[in-house]
């Protein structure tokens, strides 16, 4: 049975999720919490192997439906080996992307039938859903420019074009509107320290932490 807390960071490219996740993990760790910082696709050896298939290569290497299934294969392994055991021992699990990314990238952006995604959520997540989701929001033009500046090998999704990234931003904002109790939109165009403060304020308010965590 789940006992810990599950926080996910979501949003388009270049929003600074990974930096913000690291900072929140440090704060919670300093406050004495047992923290697991992880990411998707990936987070377990099997899921990291699947990640390499997903984030490298040509944009049209996989269809949106195939991508959806690969994301969920990776996600299931990550849940079984890392997230569920972590929550069971009482840890705070912080995850860089999760199921909302599939809704936004493969669903809103790629056109995968929402019914397929809903069915996978129902059967594969096994009830492991976030207590809090922080959506780092920024215009796709800004995010893609930031992401291009740090370019590495993992550019497959970045190369899908502005129209795709505009649709997936709308996807994330739609998720936040539909599930306001779980989701908080954070303005990721603000300076890093301001974003960090907004993340901390949201975590405190929504998860009942004291000033010091
Ligand atoms: P990252 O760049 O945030 O590490 O994420 C890797 C890429 O994978 C990113 O471009 C978004 C994409 N992605 C999906 O398309 N669907 C998903 O379900 C997840 C978790 C990631």
């Amino acid at each position: 049975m789940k006992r810990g807390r599950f926080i996910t960071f979501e949003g388009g490219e270049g929003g600074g999720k990974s930096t913000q996740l690291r900072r929140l993990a440090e704060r919670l760790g300093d406050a004495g919490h047992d923290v697991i910082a992880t990411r998707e696709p990936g987070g377990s050896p099997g899921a990291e192997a699947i990640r390499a298939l997903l984030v490298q290569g040509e944009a049209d290497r996989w269809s949106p439906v195939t991508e959806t299934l690969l994301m969920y294969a990776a996600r299931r392994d990550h849940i079984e080996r890392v997230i569920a055991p972590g929550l069971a021992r009482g840890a705070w699990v912080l995850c860089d992307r999760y199921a909302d990314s599939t809704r936004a990238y493969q669903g809103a952006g790629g056109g995968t039938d929402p019914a397929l995604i809903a069915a996978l959520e129902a059967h594969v997540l096994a009830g492991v859903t976030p207590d809090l989701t922080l959506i780092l929001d920024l215009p796709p033009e800004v995010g893609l420019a930031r992401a291009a500046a740090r370019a590495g090998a993992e550019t497959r999704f970045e190369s899908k074009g502005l129209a795709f990234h505009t649709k997936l931003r709308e996807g994330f904002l739609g998720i936040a509107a539909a599930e306001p109790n779980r989701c908080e939109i954070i303005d990721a165009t603000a300076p890093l320290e301001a974003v960090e403060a907004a993340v901390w304020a949201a975590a405190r308010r929504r998860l009942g932490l004291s000033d010091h965590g």
Side-chain angles (χ1 to χ4, degrees):
M1 243 353 248
K2 178 174 142 176
R3 283 188 290 114
R5 302 294 187 95
F6 186 26
I7 304 176
T8 56
F9 286 71
E10 295 279 8
E13 309 293 326
K17 286 179 289 89
S18 312
T19 305
Q20 295 300 335
L21 185 149
R22 203 164 49 241
R23 292 192 174 194
L24 182 61
E26 279 167 15
R27 275 208 204 208
L28 291 170
D30 289 348
H33 297 287
D34 177 6
V35 179
I36 295 174
T38 187
R39 70 167 181 182
E40 290 207 345
S44 63
E48 288 289 334
I50 297 172
R51 177 188 177 95
L53 296 173
L54 280 160
V55 298
Q56 296 175 14
E58 300 298 316
D60 62 359
R61 179 178 185 185
W62 310 110
S63 75
V65 171
T66 313
E67 271 173 16
T68 302
L69 298 171
L70 287 169
M71 290 292 175
Y72 265 88
R75 182 160 299 134
R76 180 66 188 205
D77 192 64
H78 188 212
I79 291 170
E80 287 176 1
R81 294 171 194 274
V82 177
I83 302 176
L87 293 172
R89 78 166 193 234
W92 288 59
V93 179
L94 273 49
C95 192
D96 189 341
R97 298 195 182 283
Y98 192 62
D100 295 321
S101 278
T102 309
R103 289 193 198 171
Y105 279 76
Q106 282 68 49
T112 300
D113 186 347
L116 171 63
I117 296 176
L120 288 165
E121 289 184 5
H123 292 281
V124 180
L125 298 185
V128 179
T129 52
D131 299 297
L132 172 63
T133 296
L134 300 157
I135 297 177
L136 272 59
D137 177 61
L138 78 176
E141 299 87 336
V142 180
L144 287 171
R146 284 195 198 165
R150 57 138 212 249
E154 300 190 336
T155 54
R156 187 170 160 263
F157 286 97
E158 286 163 28
S159 70
K160 282 182 183 259
L162 192 57
F164 174 86
H165 289 274
T166 302
K167 279 190 273 181
L168 76 88
R169 182 192 195 189
E170 286 160 11
F172 280 122
L173 295 177
I175 293 167
E179 296 184 58
N181 291 336
R182 171 171 70 86
C183 301
E184 173 112 359
I185 296 172
I186 307 273
D187 174 10
T189 63
L192 215 123
E193 274 66 34
V195 177
E196 183 179 356
V199 166
W200 183 239
R204 276 178 43 205
R205 190 174 67 254
R206 290 183 179 253
L207 300 175
L209 292 167
S210 72
D211 282 358
H212 304 290

